[in-house]
Every structure is written in structure tokens, then in C-alpha cells.
Amino acid sequence: MFHQSKIKLAALVGITLSVLSLLVHIFVANYSVGDFLRYKLQEDYLYPQGHKLWHRRLWGPVSSLEVLQPYAKPRNFYPVPGQQNGLIYAKIFGGFVKIRSSICDLVAIARLLNATLVIPEIQQSVRSKGISKKFKSFSYLYDEEQFIAALLDDVIVIKSLPADLKEARKRTKFPTISPKRSASPTFYIREVLPKLKQSKVIRMLVSDGGCLQPILPSSLDEYQRLRCRVAFHALKFRSEIQALGKQMVERLQATVGPYLSYHPGLVRNTLAFHGCAELFQDVHTELIQHRRKQLIKQGTVDEDLIVDSVSRKTNGSCPLLPEEVGLLLRAMGYPPNTVIYLAGSETFGGQRILVPLQAMYTNLVDCTSLCSKKELLNLIGPEYPLTSNLSQPPPVKSEKQLIEEWKKAGPRPRPLPPPPARPFYQHENEGWYGWVAETDIEPEFSPLDLRKQAHRLLWDALDYYVSVEADAFFPGFNNDGSGWPDFSSLVMGHRLYQTPSGVTYRPSRKTLAGLFGSVHDNLYHPTHNWMQLVRDHLNKSLGIDGLLAGAKSSKPANFLSYPFPECACRTSKSYDIPAHVMSSNGEILYGIEDECPEWMVRGLAMASFKTTGAKDEDVDEIELLEDDNETDGQSESDNGSRSDTSRSMEHDEEMDLDD
């Protein structure tokens, strides 16, 4: 009996210790491991939008940048163009980003040389055979009439060459210039202007995404503002693109509310330039290495073919993968039902690389899921059908033909004829990757490939419109250091000009690579300290610190990615901001913006007053709804209290001794 009690006591003590140990482990785990979904945002930073409340740190505005406003009008003496020295007509090669950047440079050069600009030809749409005749070259993307009217006081623009000059162009009588991306104004004054005055016509071939150096001397600030007027005012998409883009924005905002736009930046050329092949698998690695070999032969890359992609990733030379972006957004506190718009017509790696992001954020959409096929086809316009390259089956022979062949077949017995050869289908001998397993030579673009490249211009235009209008923007690969203009940088520059206080993340990939390396084995269960470091870094990237850090690397590559301080003004002086922030080459990046004119300050004050009033009305409506609910509850309780009161009064009447 005594031994049994000892055994029971020992078992009870063991169970008690096990329970205590389990509670301690749970307690320690809650304070050492962070669950992304449990991170709650403080209610002090909520602001109303409609009948819902949104967090200010996630959707803006950024208070430190609210004093900045877009202002690209001329400041100094700026005469209207007069007597012209000649004509400039240009052909632009490349995709959407290179086209947009090159057009801005061409307008600035035309103003510099006092020349008339012929609307440039977009070769990516011209090379495609059979596309809609309704939209030709420049008008395939942009509104020609708006472009000419917006630049009326800057540059004389005409739609095409005169008839006599068109014939001379076919005989190549005009001098041709292929300028570099970093060509200086001195080059155009000394080398190009004499040829222009002599021949009256100059042809320019622009293929590097630009033809004028990004940073100009301070004496040419008006040309920088001209670039801004071209990019942000004159280059308007044609009406069909704008209408569909507006519908897409309305559909995105009608679902949950604010939406975030994300551009992965996974482009084959850029990945090959930086040697990021090992981040991918299978055929994608071979495709990147093949393109890198081409860049080495062209002299664009002066490195070995095989490099350590992990070290490049650590240095920030490789993009943030979609999985990493999803983890960052969850660490910031974006809920799982956040609507994320996926921008970019080319996402190298396909849908497989997007699976982790889509698992974290199921509301991941793009233009194909927001628009119907009919809407996209209407945007493309009527096109001529292309001849199919698929092998056709042999024609069916009649019975008479079969008998004649049997008679002419020769002596019998004879062996059976060999089976027909297996046909080669289009996806086997053409396409973007089918050739890798058979040859080292990349096939030429087929007519279908050229047409798809033209269509990509339209998809990029839609993505650009939606990204600029987004409530928040997150870049996957900007300021890559290649010198080429990139999609994310152009979007960030446009958003900075249009709404400086908007939520535009400017992360440091090198810093984030170090943070991910520290929790490589626990990516989905990081510590609270790691999450706090991520939030601190991304919150700083929204403000002045992130703006200046990105400007030091982005502006020397492309002015449109950071159009400050030339194209901005300040509504008030802030003493918390450093007076002058300079780049490594002495260019002032921030702190010398002009004060905004009085008419702009008054207009902003009135708009702010109206917005504040609307927000107050929304708050009042929300409070009224809450008050109604409380009133309903109180009415029920009041009814109960009134009935109790009436009962007590009746009881008092019966028990009143004075009566």
C-alpha cells in the first residue's frame, strides 16, 4: 500500500513537472518567435477611407515629404522656339522603358540644337508585321496630338517628314548618328550642330535607352525641367490605354480598398548582366548563361562567364525574389487579403517563381486577371492573321490514286514502307527556350515573336499606369547598376514627381540580403528583433533617408528616376532637413528646391481643407453608425429599464401609506 502511494505521488509530480515545462516552452516561444499574422498595427495611426479605416504607415502619406510638390515650369527666361536649324528624325530601338527614356532625351536635344523634331519611330511596333493599321509607330503607345500640343512652347514637333525629304531618306542622303547613352551637350553642339546646319536633316538611331547624359550642368536646369514636362505631361498614353488603365485601377480599389503594386524586375538581360543564374533552376539557368555569353562577346560585360551568384546576391546585385518580398510585406503588417498588382510583362522564371508569394497573398492579380480577353483584344486592335508554321498532314489520296501507286510499286513481295516521320511542332523548333537542348545558337525572332514584343509594349503601358496610381509600390530590382533604365526606377521617379508623399518603398537589397542571411533556416518563423529591423529599414526607405540613398545611385543612371531638385518646389521651409545633400560627383540632390508660387500654395490649402472636411464627414458617418448600434442597444436596455420603472411605480402606488 505504501509503495503504491509512492508510485502515484511520483507519477503526479512527473505530470506536474511536464505540464510546467510545456507552459514554460510555450511562454518562451511566444516571446522569441514572431508570427507574422499576429503583428498588430497601432490604432493611433488609422485614418478613414469610406467606411473603413486604413493604417497610415502602410498606405501613407509620408509626412516628411508632404512639403514637396511637382513643379516643372520654366523658372528663367525661356523663349518660344523661332527660326529652326533643321529637322531631326529618330528611330528608337528597345522596349517600353528605353522608348520612354529616349523620347525625353530627343526632345531636350531638339531644344538644345534649335531643331524641329519629327515624331520618333518606335521600331518594336514597326518591325511587327500585320499589327493594326489604326495605330502606327508612336501612336501605338502615345497620343500624338497631346504630345505636339504639350510641347508647343518648347519644341516644334511634326508628325512626319515632308514628301520630298522622304524620298531623299530612302536614298540615305542624310547623315546618320548613333549617339551613346552618356553623350554630353558639348558633343551635340560641336559635332552634330554643324552637320545639321549643313544638311538640314539629321537621322538618329537610339538603342541604349537614351542619348543624353542624365546629369547636366546647373546652367542647363531648364533642359532637365523640359525632360520632366515631356515624361510627366506630354507623354500621355492613347485614349484606349488610359481608359482601360483607369478601369483597372477602379476595379482594384473597389475590392478591399488600397492596393500595392509590385514589379519583380526579373528580366533576362539584367539577370545575365549581373550573373544571377544560380538563383534559378533547370532551363532558366542555361538561358541566363547563354545571354551572358552574348553580352561578353559584345563587350557589355567584362567579367567571367561563371560567377558566384550567392556573393552577387549578398552584394545586392541580384533581385529580391517574390518569396522574399512576400515575407517583407508580412513583416510590415500587410494583411493576407491585401490586393497586390503584379506589374511587368516579363517575369523570368514563370509562374513557378511566384507560387510562394501567391501562397502568402492570394489576391495577387495582373492585367490578364483584371481584364477580359475582349478588352485586351480591343486594345490591340484588328490584326492580320499570321501564317502558321505547324506541319500540315499530307493530303488524303483517292482510291484511284492508291490503286495506281500499288501497280507502280514494283515486283512483289516487297517490304512495308517506313512509317511517316514524326512532325516537328512549333514549340519544339521555335519559342523562347526549346532551342537550348539542341543548339548553342538562339533562333531568330519569328513573326509571332515580333508581334508578341509589340503587344508587350501595351501590357507594360497598362502596368505603368496602374503602378503610378497605386496606393503603394514595392520594387523588386531597381538601381541595378547596369546603367540601363529599368521599369521600377521610372515608376518610382514618376510617383516621386506626382505624389512625393506617396508610399514608395526604396529598399537596400544589400541590407535585406544580410537580414535574410541571418534567418536563412527560419524564414517563416523569424525573431521579433528581425521583424523590427525589417520594419525600421523599410519605414526609413519611405522617407528622406531612403530617398537620398536611392538618389545617389539612380540619378547618375537616369534623370527620370529622381527628377529632384530641378522639377520640385517646397511649400514651407523645414529645419529638420539638411540644407544640401550632394552626390559623389558634386551634384546637389536635395535641399535647394525653390519655394512654391503663392497660387500653388493657396490651391493646395483649399484642396487640403476639402479633403479634411471629407475625412471628417467619413469619421462622423462611422461614429453615427456606431452611435446607431449603441442607441439600438441602449433602446433595448431603456425599454427594459422603463418597464422595470413602471413596475416599481405601480408597486410604490400600492405601498404608499400617505394616500
Side-chain angles (χ1 to χ4, degrees):
M1 188 70 181
F2 178 73
H3 291 291
Q4 290 181 354
S5 61
K6 274 190 173 182
I7 293 173
K8 291 180 180 179
L9 181 61
L12 182 61
V13 171
I15 293 173
T16 305
L17 291 176
S18 299
V19 172
L20 289 175
S21 176
L22 181 61
L23 292 175
V24 170
H25 278 80
I26 293 174
F27 180 79
V28 173
N30 284 335
Y31 281 89
S32 61
V33 178
D35 186 357
F36 288 105
L37 300 181
R38 291 183 183 176
Y39 174 65
K40 293 183 179 180
L41 300 164
Q42 298 178 6
E43 296 181 358
D44 297 340
Y45 297 96
L46 297 176
Y47 68 95
Q49 180 172 337
H51 293 297
K52 299 181 181 180
L53 297 177
W54 304 109
H55 199 274
R56 187 178 297 274
R57 286 187 179 176
L58 297 183
W59 304 110
V62 181
S63 57
S64 61
L65 299 178
E66 287 184 319
V67 296
L68 298 175
Q69 297 296 328
Y71 188 49
K73 291 187 176 182
R75 312 283 204 277
N76 304 317
F77 176 69
Y78 195 77
V80 177
Q83 185 66 30
Q84 302 292 289
N85 292 322
L87 294 171
I88 295 178
Y89 78 96
K91 295 183 177 182
I92 302 176
F93 299 86
F96 174 84
V97 176
K98 289 185 176 182
I99 291 169
R100 192 172 184 88
S101 181
S102 300
I103 292 173
C104 299
D105 288 354
L106 286 171
V107 174
I109 291 169
R111 173 78 187 190
L112 180 68
L113 301 179
N114 194 23
T116 299
L117 178 66
V118 182
I119 287 184
E121 291 183 3
I122 298 177
Q123 294 300 300
Q124 193 150 328
S125 63
V126 173
R127 288 191 306 167
S128 178
K129 297 180 180 179
I131 64 172
S132 176
K133 289 186 176 181
K134 186 178 178 182
F135 315 111
K136 293 183 179 179
S137 187
F138 188 88
S139 63
Y140 194 70
L141 275 180
Y142 299 109
D143 187 346
E144 290 185 351
E145 301 298 335
Q146 164 67 19
F147 184 73
I148 295 173
L151 299 176
L152 195 60
D153 296 333
D154 300 297
V155 175
I156 297 177
V157 183
I158 59 177
K159 291 186 177 182
S160 61
L161 285 170
D164 55 338
L165 295 179
K166 286 182 179 179
E167 295 296 328
R169 182 188 66 174
K170 294 179 181 179
R171 296 190 295 269
T172 63
K173 285 189 175 182
F174 308 135
T176 302
I177 299 172
S178 300
K180 296 181 179 179
R181 184 175 59 248
S182 58
S184 65
T186 306
F187 165 77
Y188 288 100
I189 295 297
R190 294 180 179 178
E191 302 292 334
V192 180
L193 185 58
K195 296 179 181 179
L196 178 64
K197 290 182 176 179
Q198 181 179 2
S199 62
K200 297 300 181 182
V201 181
I202 287 289
R203 182 175 67 171
M204 295 180 63
L205 305 179
V206 185
S207 58
D208 285 342
C211 50
L212 183 63
Q213 64 185 32
I215 297 178
L216 300 178
S218 57
S219 59
L220 299 178
D221 282 350
E222 293 299 340
Y223 291 90
Q224 300 288 56
R225 297 186 189 101
L226 176 57
R227 278 172 161 172
C228 291
R229 291 195 293 275
V230 177
F232 309 133
H233 298 281
L235 282 179
K236 296 294 184 182
F237 297 120
R238 57 181 167 93
S239 58
E240 294 84 357
I241 298 177
Q242 289 200 63
L244 186 56
K246 187 177 180 181
Q247 288 182 8
M248 292 169 64
V249 172
E250 292 174 351
R251 291 168 186 172
L252 286 167
Q253 292 178 341
T255 53
V256 181
Y259 71 94
L260 181 142
S261 179
Y262 162 57
H263 182 258
L266 299 175
V267 182
R268 184 183 171 196
N269 283 344
T270 311
L271 295 170
F273 181 87
H274 292 287
C276 304
E278 295 178 6
L279 301 179
F280 297 85
Q281 298 176 357
D282 305 331
V283 70
H284 298 94
T285 300
E286 298 182 28
L287 287 167
I288 293 175
Q289 289 296 88
H290 184 274
R291 181 56 55 86
R292 184 172 174 83
K293 186 187 296 184
Q294 290 179 335
L295 295 177
I296 292 174
K297 289 181 180 179
Q298 296 171 3
T300 307
V301 175
D302 188 16
E303 294 177 339
D304 296 332
L305 176 62
I306 300 176
V307 294
D308 186 6
S309 298
V310 177
S311 62
R312 295 296 175 94
K313 176 82 172 177
T314 306
N315 294 335
S317 298
C318 290
L320 293 169
L321 296 179
E323 180 183 13
E324 297 171 335
V325 173
L327 294 171
L328 294 174
L329 295 178
R330 289 177 67 177
M332 283 295 294
Y334 285 95
N337 64 341
T338 301
V339 179
I340 298 179
Y341 181 81
L342 183 68
S345 60
E346 178 185 357
T347 301
F348 195 78
Q351 291 295 322
R352 182 173 61 178
I353 203 170
L354 298 172
V355 168
L357 177 62
Q358 196 162 18
M360 287 180 271
Y361 291 95
T362 55
N363 291 331
L364 182 66
V365 297
D366 59 4
C367 63
T368 58
S369 56
L370 280 177
C371 305
S372 63
K373 289 185 178 180
K374 183 178 180 181
E375 290 175 331
L376 296 178
L377 289 175
N378 291 338
L379 187 66
I380 294 172
E383 295 182 330
Y384 291 102
L386 295 174
T387 57
S388 176
N389 293 328
L390 295 175
S391 59
Q392 301 294 332
V396 180
K397 298 180 180 179
S398 64
E399 185 177 357
K400 184 178 181 180
Q401 289 176 333
L402 292 174
I403 294 174
E404 291 295 330
E405 290 182 359
W406 176 265
K407 292 179 179 180
K408 297 178 181 178
R412 300 169 181 81
R414 58 185 179 275
L416 294 175
R422 186 180 72 86
F424 286 94
Y425 296 99
Q426 185 176 7
H427 68 271
E428 294 178 322
N429 53 20
E430 287 186 5
W432 67 278
Y433 71 86
W435 51 271
V436 175
E438 298 180 359
T439 179
D440 293 333
I441 301 175
E442 189 167 356
E444 297 290 335
F445 289 119
S446 65
L448 182 61
D449 293 331
L450 295 176
R451 178 170 291 187
K452 287 181 178 179
Q453 286 185 357
H455 293 172
R456 279 185 178 181
L457 297 178
L458 303 178
W459 314 149
D460 283 333
L462 289 176
D463 292 343
Y464 187 88
Y465 185 94
V466 175
S467 298
V468 170
E469 299 295 330
D471 300 281
F473 180 76
F474 198 102
F477 202 23
N478 66 301
N479 297 340
D480 52 36
S482 64
W484 298 322
D486 60 90
F487 187 91
S488 293
S489 294
L490 284 188
V491 171
M492 294 165 72
H494 198 149
R495 290 173 60 88
L496 179 62
Y497 174 82
Q498 182 172 296
T499 52
S501 59
V503 176
T504 303
Y505 290 98
R506 305 171 184 90
S508 169
R509 292 187 300 276
K510 185 175 182 180
T511 302
L512 293 178
L515 290 174
F516 279 115
S518 63
V519 291
H520 185 268
D521 296 331
N522 296 299
L523 281 177
Y524 287 85
H525 298 285
T527 61
H528 281 282
N529 291 337
W530 185 88
M531 295 175 64
Q532 188 61 45
L533 289 174
V534 168
R535 286 195 290 270
D536 290 343
H537 174 72
L538 293 180
N539 285 329
K540 285 183 179 178
S541 73
L542 294 174
I544 298 174
D545 294 338
L547 184 66
L548 297 179
K552 292 178 181 179
S553 58
S554 62
K555 189 171 183 178
N558 189 0
F559 171 75
L560 297 179
S561 64
Y562 185 80
F564 279 14
E566 294 87 352
C567 300
C569 64
R570 190 180 297 275
T571 56
S572 62
K573 292 293 182 182
S574 178
Y575 298 99
D576 298 332
I577 300 173
H580 301 288
V581 179
M582 304 181 69
S583 63
S584 57
N585 57 0
E587 174 74 11
I588 298 178
L589 300 175
Y590 194 78
I592 61 169
E593 294 83 9
D594 298 332
E595 288 192 23
C596 295
E598 293 184 2
W599 59 266
M600 182 183 292
V601 175
R602 289 195 299 268
L604 291 171
M606 294 178 62
S608 177
F609 177 77
K610 292 180 180 179
T611 305
T612 305
K615 287 184 178 180
D616 292 340
E617 290 178 1
D618 291 337
V619 173
D620 293 339
E621 291 179 2
I622 295 172
E623 291 177 351
L624 286 173
L625 291 173
E626 294 175 352
D627 292 342
D628 291 341
N629 295 331
E630 293 176 358
T631 304
D632 294 338
Q634 289 178 359
S635 62
E636 293 177 359
S637 61
D638 290 343
N639 292 333
S641 60
R642 287 172 184 172
S643 62
D644 295 339
T645 305
S646 61
R647 290 175 185 173
S648 62
M649 288 179 66
E650 292 175 357
H651 182 70
D652 291 341
E653 290 177 357
E654 293 176 358
M655 297 297 293
D656 194 356
L657 299 177
D658 295 336
D659 293 336

